[in-house]
Amino acid sequence: MSSFNEVKALTFDTGGTILDWHTGFKKAFIDLGLKYKVERDWSKLANQLRRRSLIAMTNLGKEDSPTYNIDQAHRFILDKILDEENLEVVNEIDRHHISWNVPHSFKCWEDFPENLSILREKYIATSFTVLSHRMIIDTSKLNNLSWDAIFSCEGLKKYKLLPEAYEMTANYLQLKPQEICMIACHPLDLNAAKKVGFKTAMVKRYSEWGSDDPHNIKGIPKHQYDIVVDNFPDLVTDLGKY
């Protein structure tokens, strides 16, 4: 574990590290199935919606200014999935509910709110995310989360995993990259931050994708990042050593 003595700010991936999107999307799909009397693998469709939406956002802004945000991506990916699943019968109200109301109402993981307050006593704590400003505002109010700042790629116009997204966040904080620790449950996010010079901390979310483990989170060794822990209380403990 490298020294964290110079770290002044923590930037939190928010979509999966803080918010339990799988449970939210899966429940919405289950409710949809009950309403329209259809059966599908709703857990699989929840993961498809999330995965394909993230792919649509990754590296957006590399060449041209982005023309849509994550809320719009959720909608056009949902429409594609419903077409592929022969569920064209789903009406406009239900499509808007799943693609907008549901993600703006995601619950956060239970181990986070109390520990965010603890970490803010020592560090600048910010949401650094591909999620829209409005989604962060809504979910933060719902879950009683207080950030020192929100850095949405929507405002930066450069989306993860572009190095510019991380560099711009450091510039706005008026800190050197090595004075910031990126906290995420996603290897891709941490790898990109590490290349720019951020310190890195992985908080493993074993059930982020339900029973799936697309990033082989279980197999990630302790030495892959500066800190690797199973939950936020453990992260607080490790950061408390400095």
Side-chain angles (χ1 to χ4, degrees), residues 16-17 20-23 47 109 111 184-186 202-222 228-232 234:
T17 309
D20 179 10
W21 59 263
H22 179 83
T23 298
N47 287 351
W109 300 101
D111 68 345
C185 63
H186 307 117
M202 169 170 275
V203 178
K204 294 186 177 184
R205 294 299 191 198
Y206 294 103
S207 58
E208 184 200 355
W209 295 81
S211 60
D212 294 343
D213 185 13
H215 301 298
N216 188 30
I217 296 300
K218 294 179 181 178
I220 290 177
K222 288 280 188 180
V228 177
V229 292
D230 289 330
N231 51 58
F232 271 98
D234 286 350

Side-chain angles (χ1 to χ4, degrees), residues 103-150:
H104 284 246
S105 302
F106 283 156
K107 299 292 182 63
C108 73
W109 300 101
E110 292 183 356
D111 68 345
F112 184 67
E114 179 181 353
N115 288 293
L116 172 62
S117 298
I118 294 171
L119 292 170
R120 285 187 66 211
E121 294 176 4
K122 182 176 181 181
Y123 301 99
I124 298 170
T126 78
S127 170
F128 174 29
T129 177
V130 301
L131 304 183
S132 66
H133 286 106
R134 180 60 187 275
M135 188 173 168
I136 294 299
I137 291 168
D138 289 344
T139 55
S140 296
K141 288 174 72 69
L142 176 68
N143 292 285
N144 197 29
L145 304 180
S146 295
W147 302 105
D148 293 311
I150 295 172

Side-chain angles (χ1 to χ4, degrees), residues 8 24 39 51 57 66 103 105 117 185 199 204 214:
K8 297 181 174 69
E39 292 185 7
R51 178 179 59 81
M57 305 311 298
S105 302
S117 298
C185 63
K199 294 289 197 300
K204 294 186 177 184

Side-chain angles (χ1 to χ4, degrees), residues 137-188:
I137 291 168
D138 289 344
T139 55
S140 296
K141 288 174 72 69
L142 176 68
N143 292 285
N144 197 29
L145 304 180
S146 295
W147 302 105
D148 293 311
I150 295 172
F151 295 107
S152 167
C153 294
E154 179 186 28
L156 299 174
K157 306 298 183 185
K158 298 288 184 181
Y159 278 77
K160 301 174 182 181
L161 305 164
L162 294 175
E164 293 92 336
Y166 302 86
E167 292 165 351
M168 290 172 71
T169 297
N171 286 336
Y172 279 127
L173 287 169
Q174 299 184 38
L175 294 173
K176 298 174 183 178
Q178 62 267 28
E179 295 177 310
I180 304 170
C181 178
M182 185 74 219
I183 299 171
C185 63
H186 307 117
L188 292 177

Side-chain angles (χ1 to χ4, degrees), residues 47-91:
N47 287 351
Q48 276 196 37
L49 179 54
R50 169 68 171 174
R51 178 179 59 81
R52 293 165 64 173
S53 295
L54 285 178
I55 290 173
M57 305 311 298
T58 301
N59 295 332
L60 201 62
K62 183 176 183 179
E63 297 176 358
D64 300 320
S65 183
T67 58
Y68 58 86
N69 64 15
I70 189 67
D71 296 312
Q72 293 162 306
H74 281 152
R75 176 55 192 263
F76 67 68
I77 294 299
L78 175 65
D79 288 342
K80 289 180 182 179
I81 290 173
L82 293 177
D83 286 346
E84 293 165 3
E85 296 292 325
N86 298 314
L87 293 172
E88 295 90 346
V89 67
V90 177
N91 66 32

